[in-house]
Amino acid sequence: MAETKTFKVFRFKPQTDKKHRFDTFKVPCRPGMTVLQALNYIQENLDGSLAYRSSCREGICGSCAMHINGKYRLACETQVSHLSASITIRPMAHMDIIRDLVVDMTPFFEKLKAIKPYLIPGDPDEGAERIQTQDERAYLDYIVDCILCGACYASCAVNGYDDEYLGPAALAKANRFLMDSRDKADEQRLALVCDEHGVFRCHTLFNCQTVCPKNVDPTANIANLKRQIIARQLNPKFSKKGI
């Protein structure tokens, strides 16, 4: 017999609503059911107007990140059976609400764009193929798995009061390219992240580290950027890779 759980879901339509509310739904939950599947049930059977994002359903696209029972998680990877009988779902913080659980992620992607998230070959470009050893690639393993879900950005307290703070995802991505042996733009990259809205605005609260569904560890990436900046101030000939 399916267990019935109570879902309290954040609702808000900026075009017509003066304030948000929580709607309550009773959902029959079977073993193995995820929060995303519960939302699908609500939309298909109880309230077709409920809005939320999802796509791959396999923890790859990152589109279903939301605040579930006090923590940012991917709805497609969160088992209903691991949660309490009452489940509260909110949208991600620090971004404007488009409708219900859908937020405007433009600021998140604008900050990602600001750190130049692509390889820069240097000037002049050597032109030849840039070979990377297995060890050099393996060094990036813990950085490259970011799926841009925005959970770290929403969980970061600094993003809540500093609209210009780059945020954990963008800074982790900056470190990913800084540490890539094929990239030749060290000074440019560090200059992009060392102002008052960059790495030194981070207060090392570890929220981003806790919620990352891919264990990218933005906190460690930010710490490495800080080390690189300080080391170069002490010794301009300091090499970034340290591999």
Side-chain angles (χ1 to χ4, degrees), residues 156-189:
C156 176
V158 180
N159 278 125
Y161 64 83
D162 184 349
D163 292 338
E164 297 183 54
Y165 176 53
L166 287 169
L171 292 172
K173 190 68 73 176
N175 188 52
R176 173 256 180 273
F177 285 101
L178 177 72
M179 300 311 294
D180 194 309
S181 59
R182 300 165 296 177
D183 191 84
K184 306 300 179 186
D186 295 11
E187 299 303 326
Q188 183 180 357
R189 294 199 182 284

Side-chain angles (χ1 to χ4, degrees):
M1 183 176 179
E3 178 186 7
T4 298
K5 292 205 175 190
T6 300
F7 285 76
K8 298 177 181 177
V9 184
F10 181 97
R11 307 300 301 271
F12 183 58
K13 187 178 180 182
Q15 295 82 359
T16 57
D17 297 341
K18 292 184 178 180
K19 60 182 295 187
H20 72 271
R21 69 183 190 278
F22 283 87
D23 284 352
T24 300
F25 304 97
K26 299 288 186 181
V27 178
C29 299
R30 54 177 171 72
M33 190 175 191
T34 66
V35 170
L36 178 59
Q37 290 173 319
L39 290 173
N40 290 341
Y41 178 90
I42 293 170
Q43 190 184 63
E44 293 168 2
N45 299 281
L46 304 176
D47 187 344
S49 68
L50 176 62
Y52 55 95
R53 285 195 180 104
S54 69
S55 182
C56 74
R57 299 175 296 174
E58 295 180 344
I60 300 300
C61 73
S63 62
C64 66
M66 54 189 71
H67 192 264
I68 304 169
N69 272 14
K71 182 180 178 180
Y72 291 99
R73 321 170 196 242
L74 296 181
C76 70
E77 288 192 330
T78 303
Q79 293 283 311
V80 171
S81 60
H82 294 172
L83 303 173
S84 59
S86 178
I87 299 169
T88 302
I89 304 176
R90 295 180 171 89
M92 291 198 294
H94 313 326
M95 290 172 274
D96 292 338
I97 296 168
I98 297 175
R99 181 165 175 167
D100 299 338
L101 302 175
V102 179
V103 297
D104 180 2
M105 295 190 70
T106 300
F108 174 81
F109 286 110
E110 287 295 325
K111 291 169 183 177
L112 183 70
K113 183 180 177 182
I115 59 92
K116 301 183 185 296
Y118 43 81
L119 288 173
I120 299 176
D123 186 18
D125 185 351
E126 297 174 356
E129 181 181 5
R130 285 168 283 278
I131 304 298
Q132 194 170 47
T133 68
Q134 290 186 354
D135 286 344
E136 289 171 337
R137 175 60 182 81
Y139 191 77
L140 301 175
D141 280 354
Y142 82 104
I143 311 177
V144 299
D145 288 340
C146 175
I147 57 175
L148 303 177
C149 66
C152 61
Y153 186 94
S155 71
C156 176
V158 180
N159 278 125
Y161 64 83
D162 184 349
D163 292 338
E164 297 183 54
Y165 176 53
L166 287 169
L171 292 172
K173 190 68 73 176
N175 188 52
R176 173 256 180 273
F177 285 101
L178 177 72
M179 300 311 294
D180 194 309
S181 59
R182 300 165 296 177
D183 191 84
K184 306 300 179 186
D186 295 11
E187 299 303 326
Q188 183 180 357
R189 294 199 182 284
L190 292 177
L192 288 171
V193 303
C194 74
D195 69 8
E196 60 181 322
H197 304 294
V199 291
F200 294 106
R201 180 64 74 187
C202 170
H203 292 185
T204 320
L205 299 176
F206 296 101
N207 290 351
C208 56
Q209 182 192 61
T210 301
V211 302
C212 179
K214 298 300 177 184
N215 298 316
V216 170
D217 196 351
T219 306
N221 282 275
I222 294 171
N224 187 60
L225 288 171
K226 292 178 179 177
R227 281 195 297 269
Q228 297 290 329
I229 292 170
I230 298 300
R232 285 162 191 268
Q233 290 176 347
L234 297 173
N235 179 7
K237 296 182 179 179
F238 181 79
S239 174
K240 68 176 183 181
K241 308 306 178 188
I243 300 174

